DNA sequence: TCTGTTATTGACATTTTTGTCAGTAGTACT
DNA sequence: AGTACTACTGACAAAAATGTCAATAACAGA
């Protein structure tokens, strides 16, 4: 028994750090390989910890999924809250705002998150989304000069298109032999032109 | 041993019928509960057959997934091929065509299929999609009067929006407190208005 | 330096999911 | 009827995924 034991050096983090580390790893997996890759072993491996560590901090793999959804939604809300698409401002400002919105919903796997939520059955998770939507809608709608009804419609339209384009745009563009950002360009162009026409 | 054996009456189908029966059941599961519900036991139960029967016809659950994707893509291609959105015809005809396109991509879980493909890693499956796109694009683009480049862009735009709206439209509309078809209405309205403007 | 706390882990147990196989039972054909 | 073919099935085996537990090891505070 003279074989020297290769004690694996342990990294000890605070619970918050550890949770964040695991969730970040899981987020990468989600974005790069899809929801079906969020298995316990895979998440643990990506985070560089043992399976049991993941369970120690979250209790179950399902809880990891929920926490990841919540974290990504929170990030997304924050990103969207930072965007301003003034309906009554000059076209130039609107264009910038919309572009930022599309960026926010395409990058960071936000579209992936949305698709995951959409395809996932469990309605319990919808409450989180609902809360986020409330938060965004409330702030966004109040600070425009247009009537509430129309503001809601415009937001619904913009967000739906942004998420849809964020998820499918790159693939479809590539499939038809165009640069991946083509669908987004076309959509933004149309959306801006439409808004301009409305305000005329 | 006087217990009367309750022989389960067997249904014997042709291989084609059996495969179709299983795939239909799987499709329902996909549309109603998402890809994660496409487990062997669930598919078999939904189809009303034993697990082993599914494997007898497909070999593995993965093969069922592939076959389902291929069948749904084929159906989708057929549906799209039947649509005609003449770029040079009166606005009325265009509106009808686009509406049909949106219907085709929202119903039957086409949007669910697209999201599933998008979230699924395996690139091998992309070849099927690529072939389908080639088929549709080739026919669709040649029979319009507009330049190829622009026709491609318009198709890319329409299809991207249709799939995006088909997947996210109903949920987002509902979340913001509107009827589920609202996002689609808004998108169609904008798209038509934009096309009209282009041709002017 | 000692001690309490707890994040971490490997080994193991449990559950879930997939796949195998030999036998059963419809159906067509003789 | 009898027979060949094979769709079909239950029972079982294998694999994969999740979860449990007791022991270990960082680290803070005494």
């Amino acid at each position: 028994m003279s074989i020297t034991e290769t004690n694996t050096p342990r990294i000890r983090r605070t619970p918050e750090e550890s949770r964040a580390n695991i969730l970040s790893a899981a987020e990468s997996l989600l974005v790069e390989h899809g929801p079906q890759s969020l298995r316990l072993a895979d998440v643990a491996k990506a985070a560089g910890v043992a399976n049991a560590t993941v369970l120690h901090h979250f209790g179950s793999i399902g809880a990891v999924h929920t926490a990841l959804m919540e974290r990504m939604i929170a990030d997304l809300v924050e990103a969207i809250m930072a965007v301003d698409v003034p309906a009554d401002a000059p076209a130039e400002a609107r264009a910038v705002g919309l572009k930022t919105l599309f960026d926010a919903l395409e990058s960071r796997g936000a579209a992936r998150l949305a698709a995951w939520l959409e395809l996932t059955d469990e309605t319990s998770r919808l409450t989180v989304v609902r809360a986020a939507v409330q938060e965004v809608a409330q702030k966004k709608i109040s600070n425009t000069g247009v009537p509430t009804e129309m503001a809601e419609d415009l937001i619904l339209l913009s967000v739906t298109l942004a998420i849809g384009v964020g998820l499918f745009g790159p693939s479809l563009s590539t499939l038809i032999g165009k640069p991946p950002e083509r669908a987004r360009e076309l959509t933004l162009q149309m959306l801006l032109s439409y808004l301009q026409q409305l305000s005329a």
Side-chain angles (χ1 to χ4, degrees), chain A:
Chain A
M1 296 299 187
S2 62
I3 300 175
T4 49
E5 298 274 339
T6 52
N7 324 17
T8 319
R10 287 188 188 179
I11 300 175
R12 190 190 176 97
R13 292 174 246 246
T14 68
E16 299 75 42
E17 281 172 345
S18 202
R19 286 175 61 96
N21 171 52
I22 291 166
L23 289 184
S24 295
E27 183 171 339
S28 298
L29 283 180
L30 172 68
V31 173
E32 287 165 31
H33 302 290
Q36 73 278 10
S37 72
L38 293 178
R39 285 170 289 250
L40 175 58
D42 294 339
V43 171
K45 188 173 168 189
V49 299
N51 293 13
T53 303
V54 175
L55 294 174
H56 170 72
H57 287 290
F58 291 93
S60 75
I61 188 63
V64 174
H65 296 167
T66 303
L68 177 58
M69 284 180 179
E70 289 177 356
R71 197 180 86 150
M72 291 183 75
I73 289 173
D75 286 355
L76 201 51
V77 166
E78 190 178 6
I80 293 180
M81 294 298 262
V83 181
D84 208 23
V85 188
D88 43 4
E92 197 52 38
R94 268 205 312 250
V96 174
L98 272 185
K99 239 172 233 161
T100 314
L101 178 67
F102 272 64
D103 277 342
L105 289 176
E106 180 169 339
S107 68
R108 302 267 250 129
R112 286 294 181 102
L113 166 68
W116 184 28
L117 287 168
E118 186 65 44
L119 291 181
T120 298
D121 221 5
E122 317 173 34
T123 50
S124 62
R125 283 162 178 170
L126 273 184
T127 56
V128 190
V129 180
R130 199 178 302 273
V133 169
Q134 297 291 337
E135 186 181 352
V136 172
Q138 195 164 355
K139 186 219 167 190
K140 286 299 155 190
I141 290 171
S142 60
N143 72 356
T144 66
V146 293
T148 303
E149 188 73 16
M150 179 174 285
E152 283 177 358
D153 275 349
L154 290 181
I155 290 176
L156 173 60
L157 181 62
S158 305
V159 171
T160 303
L161 296 190
I163 298 184
V165 169
L167 182 63
F168 298 117
S171 298
L172 288 177
S173 298
T174 304
L175 272 177
I176 213 177
K178 309 225 167 196
E181 68 277 12
R182 188 61 182 151
R184 202 184 72 152
E185 288 173 3
L186 291 169
T187 305
L188 272 174
Q189 182 182 325
M190 176 184 63
L191 196 48
L192 287 172
S193 144
Y194 182 64
L195 288 181
Q196 191 157 9
Q197 183 181 332
L198 273 191
S199 60

